[in-house]
Amino acid sequence: MASKNSNNDNQTRRRSSQAHFKQPKKHRGLKWTIFIVLLILITGGAAYGIHAYFAARDAFQATYQKGDTNKLRNVNQVIKDGKPLSILLLGTDTGALGRHDTGRTDTIIVATVNAQKKTAYLTSIPRDTNVTLQGGTQKINAAYTLGGAPMAVDTVQNLLDVPIDFYALVNMGGLEKMVNAVGGVDLKPLLTFSYGHAHVVKGRQTHLNGKQALDYSRMRETDPLGDYGRQKRQRQVIQKLLIKAMGIGSIPRYQSILTSLKGNLKTDLTFDDLIAIRGKYGDATHHIKSQTLQGQDAMIDNLSYQVPTATEIARVSTNIRRSLGLAKSTKLTGNAVQSGNANSATPANATTQTTTGY
């Protein structure tokens, strides 16, 4: 009985924390959108034939965006040797509903792909994670706004002390088209709720079209776990959409998926990179693992943040580095993070409250 009461108390604290620190936002970037874009292109094999090959090539001519990102290792050699690689996946709502500003990346994921272990590893970084940018405390999702992909990559590399080999930026404009292009997804909802076009019952097998999948994945206001619960539903959709996409056997349907990417994807992966990755890493999607950088709710200068401890940052860094075949970081030690933009200590003007994730 004590354990049950404790759980209820924890949920109450979480709800209170979310109500105090978080304001509802529309148009969240969706991490599963970005990841599935990548996986469709990595695992889309030669079975689709020469027509699909040229369709993919033409689509990616418009998505390639060379960025002056700080590469910490020779990425061409990494791919050539088939070593584990990393891609920073960023989601923004730029262009959605008439927006044309740079926007912030409300979705940030470090994806690592290990060909030998046939495993893909997803690490979610909450958009409100506090870091030091341009000499002051900022939310990590501001890095892209302030300095584009290069600053976003540098900030994540410095925070977690992990190499980022490539980046991919996706906006929400193509989300509904891509889900509809695969014919929708089928899943068993983790919660019962109504939000926008999504009206779902926990545990009841449900088919979701593009608009429904969007709303199912972005609802957070009535989820007991807030952002963390939303991330759990997003990762649920990743696997369902991946399975559906992998089963597509017609060239027209495959081309429809590629068409949905135009104008909605920017990456420093070249088409040649994708072809090489597909050949060496395609089986890595057989096993998908995930983790989230957990933080504490904090108010800093009247703004809400997520503040991860040094121990939590080191834990997440170690898991990512292990998935890349690298030793533990020598920069993340003790109670301080000795890395660039990282700010693991709670600022003096911050008030914090622990939030339990999942």
Coordinates of all heavy atoms in Angstrom, one line a residue, residues 241-293:
L241 N 5.8 2.7 -37.7 CA 6.0 3.3 -39.0 C 7.1 2.6 -39.8 O 7.1 2.4 -41.0 CB 6.2 4.8 -38.8 CG 6.3 5.6 -40.1 CD1 5.0 5.4 -41.0 CD2 6.4 7.1 -39.8
L242 N 8.2 2.3 -39.0 CA 9.3 1.6 -39.7 C 8.9 0.3 -40.3 O 9.2 0.0 -41.4 CB 10.5 1.4 -38.7 CG 11.6 0.6 -39.2 CD1 12.3 1.3 -40.4 CD2 12.7 0.4 -38.1
I243 N 8.2 -0.5 -39.5 CA 7.7 -1.8 -40.0 C 6.8 -1.6 -41.2 O 7.0 -2.4 -42.2 CB 6.9 -2.5 -38.9 CG1 7.9 -2.9 -37.7 CG2 6.2 -3.8 -39.4 CD1 7.2 -3.5 -36.5
K244 N 6.0 -0.6 -41.2 CA 5.1 -0.4 -42.3 C 5.9 0.0 -43.6 O 5.6 -0.5 -44.7 CB 4.1 0.7 -41.9 CG 2.9 0.9 -42.9 CD 2.0 -0.3 -42.9 CE 0.8 -0.1 -43.8 NZ -0.1 1.0 -43.2
A245 N 6.8 0.9 -43.3 CA 7.6 1.4 -44.5 C 8.5 0.3 -45.1 O 8.7 0.2 -46.3 CB 8.5 2.5 -44.0
M246 N 9.0 -0.6 -44.2 CA 9.8 -1.7 -44.7 C 9.0 -2.7 -45.5 O 9.6 -3.4 -46.4 CB 10.5 -2.4 -43.5 CG 11.5 -1.6 -42.8 SD 13.0 -1.4 -43.8 CE 13.7 -3.0 -43.7
G247 N 7.7 -2.7 -45.3 CA 6.9 -3.7 -46.0 C 6.4 -3.1 -47.4 O 5.7 -3.8 -48.1
I248 N 6.7 -1.9 -47.7 CA 6.2 -1.3 -48.9 C 7.0 -1.9 -50.1 O 8.2 -2.0 -50.1 CB 6.5 0.2 -48.9 CG1 5.6 0.9 -47.9 CG2 6.2 0.8 -50.3 CD1 5.8 2.4 -47.7
G249 N 6.2 -2.4 -51.1 CA 6.8 -3.1 -52.2 C 6.6 -2.5 -53.5 O 7.1 -3.0 -54.5
S250 N 5.9 -1.4 -53.6 CA 5.6 -0.8 -54.9 C 6.4 0.5 -55.1 O 6.6 1.3 -54.2 CB 4.1 -0.5 -55.0 OG 3.7 0.6 -54.1
I251 N 6.9 0.7 -56.3 CA 7.6 1.9 -56.6 C 6.8 3.1 -56.4 O 7.3 4.1 -55.9 CB 8.2 1.8 -58.1 CG1 9.3 0.7 -58.1 CG2 8.8 3.1 -58.5 CD1 9.8 0.4 -59.5
P252 N 5.5 3.2 -56.9 CA 4.8 4.4 -56.7 C 4.6 4.8 -55.2 O 4.7 6.0 -54.9 CB 3.4 4.0 -57.3 CG 3.7 3.0 -58.3 CD 4.8 2.2 -57.7
R253 N 4.4 3.8 -54.3 CA 4.3 4.2 -52.9 C 5.6 4.7 -52.4 O 5.7 5.6 -51.6 CB 3.8 2.9 -52.1 CG 3.7 3.2 -50.6 CD 2.7 4.2 -50.3 NE 1.3 3.9 -50.7 CZ 0.5 3.1 -49.9 NH1 0.9 2.7 -48.8 NH2 -0.7 2.9 -50.4
Y254 N 6.7 4.1 -52.8 CA 8.1 4.5 -52.3 C 8.4 5.9 -52.8 O 8.9 6.7 -52.1 CB 9.1 3.5 -52.9 CG 10.5 3.8 -52.4 CD1 10.8 3.6 -51.0 CD2 11.5 4.2 -53.3 CE1 12.1 3.9 -50.6 CE2 12.8 4.5 -52.8 CZ 13.1 4.3 -51.5 OH 14.4 4.6 -51.1
Q255 N 8.0 6.2 -54.1 CA 8.2 7.5 -54.6 C 7.4 8.5 -53.9 O 7.7 9.7 -53.8 CB 7.9 7.5 -56.1 CG 9.0 6.7 -56.9 CD 8.6 6.6 -58.4 OE1 7.5 6.7 -58.8 NE2 9.7 6.5 -59.2
S256 N 6.2 8.1 -53.5 CA 5.3 9.0 -52.7 C 6.0 9.4 -51.4 O 5.9 10.6 -51.0 CB 4.0 8.4 -52.5 OG 3.1 9.2 -51.7
I257 N 6.6 8.5 -50.8 CA 7.4 8.8 -49.5 C 8.5 9.8 -49.8 O 8.6 10.8 -49.1 CB 8.0 7.5 -48.9 CG1 6.8 6.5 -48.5 CG2 8.8 7.9 -47.7 CD1 7.3 5.2 -48.1
L258 N 9.2 9.6 -50.9 CA 10.3 10.5 -51.2 C 9.8 11.9 -51.5 O 10.4 12.9 -51.2 CB 11.1 9.9 -52.4 CG 11.9 8.6 -52.1 CD1 12.5 8.1 -53.4 CD2 13.0 8.9 -51.1
T259 N 8.7 11.9 -52.2 CA 8.1 13.2 -52.6 C 7.7 14.0 -51.3 O 7.8 15.3 -51.3 CB 6.8 13.0 -53.4 OG1 7.2 12.4 -54.7 CG2 6.2 14.4 -53.8
S260 N 7.3 13.3 -50.3 CA 6.9 14.0 -49.0 C 8.0 14.7 -48.4 O 7.9 15.5 -47.5 CB 6.2 13.0 -48.1 OG 7.1 12.1 -47.5
L261 N 9.3 14.3 -48.7 CA 10.4 14.8 -48.1 C 10.9 16.2 -48.7 O 11.6 17.0 -48.1 CB 11.6 13.9 -48.2 CG 11.4 12.5 -47.7 CD1 12.7 11.7 -47.8 CD2 11.0 12.5 -46.2
K262 N 10.5 16.4 -49.9 CA 10.9 17.6 -50.6 C 10.5 18.9 -49.9 O 9.3 19.0 -49.6 CB 10.4 17.6 -52.1 CG 11.0 16.5 -53.0 CD 10.5 16.6 -54.4 CE 11.2 15.5 -55.2 NZ 10.7 15.6 -56.6
G263 N 11.4 19.7 -49.6 CA 11.1 21.0 -48.9 C 11.0 20.8 -47.4 O 10.8 21.8 -46.7
N264 N 11.2 19.6 -46.9 CA 11.0 19.3 -45.5 C 12.2 18.7 -44.9 O 12.1 18.3 -43.7 CB 9.7 18.4 -45.3 CG 8.5 19.1 -45.7 OD1 8.1 20.2 -45.2 ND2 7.8 18.6 -46.7
L265 N 13.3 18.5 -45.6 CA 14.4 17.8 -45.1 C 15.7 18.5 -45.5 O 15.8 18.9 -46.7 CB 14.5 16.4 -45.5 CG 15.8 15.6 -45.2 CD1 15.9 15.3 -43.7 CD2 15.8 14.3 -46.0
K266 N 16.6 18.8 -44.6 CA 18.0 19.3 -44.9 C 19.0 18.5 -44.1 O 18.8 18.2 -43.0 CB 18.1 20.8 -44.5 CG 17.3 21.8 -45.3 CD 17.7 21.8 -46.7 CE 16.9 22.8 -47.6 NZ 17.3 22.8 -49.0
T267 N 20.0 18.1 -44.8 CA 21.0 17.2 -44.2 C 22.4 17.4 -44.9 O 22.5 17.8 -46.1 CB 20.6 15.7 -44.3 OG1 21.6 14.9 -43.7 CG2 20.4 15.3 -45.8
D268 N 23.5 17.1 -44.2 CA 24.8 17.1 -44.8 C 25.2 15.7 -45.2 O 26.3 15.5 -45.6 CB 25.8 17.7 -43.9 CG 26.0 17.0 -42.6 OD1 25.2 16.1 -42.3 OD2 27.0 17.3 -41.8
L269 N 24.2 14.8 -45.2 CA 24.5 13.5 -45.9 C 24.3 13.6 -47.4 O 23.2 14.2 -47.8 CB 23.4 12.5 -45.3 CG 23.7 11.9 -44.0 CD1 22.4 11.3 -43.4 CD2 24.7 10.7 -44.1
T270 N 25.2 13.2 -48.2 CA 25.1 13.2 -49.6 C 24.4 12.0 -50.0 O 24.2 11.0 -49.3 CB 26.4 13.3 -50.3 OG1 27.2 12.1 -50.1 CG2 27.3 14.5 -49.8
F271 N 23.9 11.9 -51.3 CA 23.2 10.8 -51.8 C 24.2 9.6 -51.8 O 23.8 8.4 -51.5 CB 22.7 11.0 -53.2 CG 21.8 9.9 -53.7 CD1 20.6 9.5 -53.1 CD2 22.3 9.1 -54.7 CE1 19.9 8.5 -53.5 CE2 21.5 8.0 -55.2 CZ 20.3 7.7 -54.6
D272 N 25.5 9.8 -52.1 CA 26.5 8.8 -52.1 C 26.7 8.2 -50.7 O 26.9 7.0 -50.5 CB 27.8 9.3 -52.7 CG 27.8 9.5 -54.2 OD1 26.9 9.0 -54.8 OD2 28.6 10.3 -54.7
D273 N 26.6 9.1 -49.7 CA 26.7 8.7 -48.3 C 25.6 7.7 -48.0 O 25.7 6.7 -47.4 CB 26.6 9.9 -47.3 CG 27.9 10.8 -47.4 OD1 29.0 10.2 -47.7 OD2 27.7 12.0 -47.1
L274 N 24.3 8.1 -48.4 CA 23.2 7.3 -48.1 C 23.3 5.9 -48.8 O 22.9 4.9 -48.2 CB 21.9 8.0 -48.6 CG 21.4 9.2 -47.8 CD1 20.3 9.9 -48.5 CD2 21.0 8.7 -46.4
I275 N 23.8 5.9 -50.0 CA 23.9 4.6 -50.7 C 24.9 3.7 -50.0 O 24.7 2.5 -49.7 CB 24.4 4.8 -52.2 CG1 23.3 5.5 -52.9 CG2 24.7 3.5 -52.8 CD1 22.0 4.8 -53.0
A276 N 26.1 4.3 -49.5 CA 27.1 3.6 -48.8 C 26.5 3.1 -47.5 O 26.8 2.0 -47.0 CB 28.3 4.4 -48.6
I277 N 25.8 4.0 -46.8 CA 25.2 3.6 -45.5 C 24.2 2.5 -45.6 O 24.2 1.6 -44.8 CB 24.6 4.9 -44.8 CG1 25.7 5.8 -44.4 CG2 23.8 4.5 -43.6 CD1 25.2 7.2 -43.9
R278 N 23.4 2.6 -46.7 CA 22.4 1.6 -46.9 C 23.0 0.2 -47.1 O 22.5 -0.8 -46.5 CB 21.5 1.9 -48.1 CG 20.3 1.0 -48.3 CD 19.8 1.2 -49.7 NE 20.7 0.8 -50.7 CZ 20.5 1.1 -52.0 NH1 19.5 1.8 -52.4 NH2 21.4 0.7 -52.9
G279 N 24.1 0.2 -47.8 CA 24.7 -1.1 -48.0 C 25.4 -1.7 -46.8 O 25.4 -2.9 -46.7
K280 N 25.9 -0.9 -45.9 CA 26.6 -1.4 -44.8 C 25.8 -1.4 -43.5 O 26.1 -2.2 -42.6 CB 27.9 -0.5 -44.5 CG 29.0 -0.6 -45.6 CD 30.2 0.2 -45.3 CE 31.2 0.1 -46.4 NZ 31.9 -1.2 -46.4
Y281 N 24.8 -0.6 -43.4 CA 24.1 -0.4 -42.1 C 22.6 -0.7 -42.1 O 21.9 -0.6 -41.1 CB 24.3 1.0 -41.6 CG 25.7 1.5 -41.4 CD1 26.4 2.0 -42.4 CD2 26.3 1.4 -40.1 CE1 27.8 2.4 -42.2 CE2 27.6 1.8 -39.9 CZ 28.3 2.3 -41.0 OH 29.6 2.8 -40.8
G282 N 22.2 -1.2 -43.3 CA 20.7 -1.5 -43.4 C 20.1 -2.4 -42.4 O 19.0 -2.2 -42.0
D283 N 20.9 -3.4 -41.9 CA 20.4 -4.4 -40.9 C 20.4 -3.8 -39.5 O 19.9 -4.5 -38.6 CB 21.3 -5.6 -41.0 CG 21.0 -6.4 -42.2 OD1 20.0 -6.2 -42.9 OD2 21.9 -7.3 -42.6
A284 N 20.9 -2.6 -39.3 CA 21.0 -2.0 -38.0 C 19.6 -1.7 -37.4 O 19.5 -1.5 -36.2 CB 21.9 -0.8 -38.0
T285 N 18.6 -1.7 -38.2 CA 17.3 -1.4 -37.8 C 16.6 -2.6 -37.2 O 15.4 -2.5 -36.8 CB 16.4 -0.8 -38.9 OG1 16.4 -1.7 -40.0 CG2 17.0 0.5 -39.4
H286 N 17.2 -3.7 -37.1 CA 16.6 -4.9 -36.6 C 16.3 -4.8 -35.1 O 15.3 -5.4 -34.6 CB 17.5 -6.1 -36.8 CG 17.5 -6.6 -38.3 ND1 18.1 -7.7 -38.7 CD2 17.0 -6.0 -39.4 CE1 18.0 -7.8 -40.0 NE2 17.3 -6.8 -40.4
H287 N 17.1 -4.0 -34.4 CA 17.0 -3.8 -33.0 C 17.1 -2.3 -32.7 O 18.1 -1.7 -33.0 CB 18.0 -4.6 -32.2 CG 18.0 -6.0 -32.4 ND1 17.0 -6.9 -31.9 CD2 18.8 -6.8 -33.2 CE1 17.2 -8.1 -32.3 NE2 18.3 -8.1 -33.1
I288 N 16.1 -1.7 -32.1 CA 16.1 -0.3 -31.8 C 16.0 -0.1 -30.3 O 15.1 -0.6 -29.6 CB 14.9 0.4 -32.4 CG1 14.9 0.2 -34.0 CG2 14.9 1.9 -32.1 CD1 13.7 0.8 -34.6
K289 N 17.0 0.6 -29.7 CA 17.0 0.9 -28.3 C 16.9 2.4 -28.1 O 17.2 3.2 -29.0 CB 18.3 0.4 -27.7 CG 18.5 -1.2 -27.8 CD 19.8 -1.6 -27.1 CE 20.0 -3.1 -27.2 NZ 21.2 -3.6 -26.6
S290 N 16.5 2.8 -26.9 CA 16.3 4.2 -26.7 C 16.6 4.6 -25.2 O 16.5 3.8 -24.3 CB 14.9 4.7 -27.1 OG 13.9 4.0 -26.3
Q291 N 16.9 5.9 -25.1 CA 17.1 6.4 -23.7 C 16.8 7.9 -23.8 O 16.7 8.5 -24.9 CB 18.5 6.2 -23.2 CG 19.6 7.0 -24.0 CD 21.0 6.9 -23.4 OE1 21.2 6.4 -22.3 NE2 22.0 7.4 -24.2
T292 N 16.6 8.5 -22.6 CA 16.3 10.0 -22.6 C 17.2 10.6 -21.5 O 17.4 10.1 -20.4 CB 14.9 10.2 -22.2 OG1 14.0 9.7 -23.2 CG2 14.6 11.7 -22.0
L293 N 17.8 11.8 -21.9 CA 18.5 12.5 -20.9 C 17.6 13.1 -19.9 O 16.8 14.0 -20.2 CB 19.3 13.7 -21.6 CG 20.2 14.6 -20.7 CD1 21.3 13.8 -20.1 CD2 20.7 15.8 -21.5

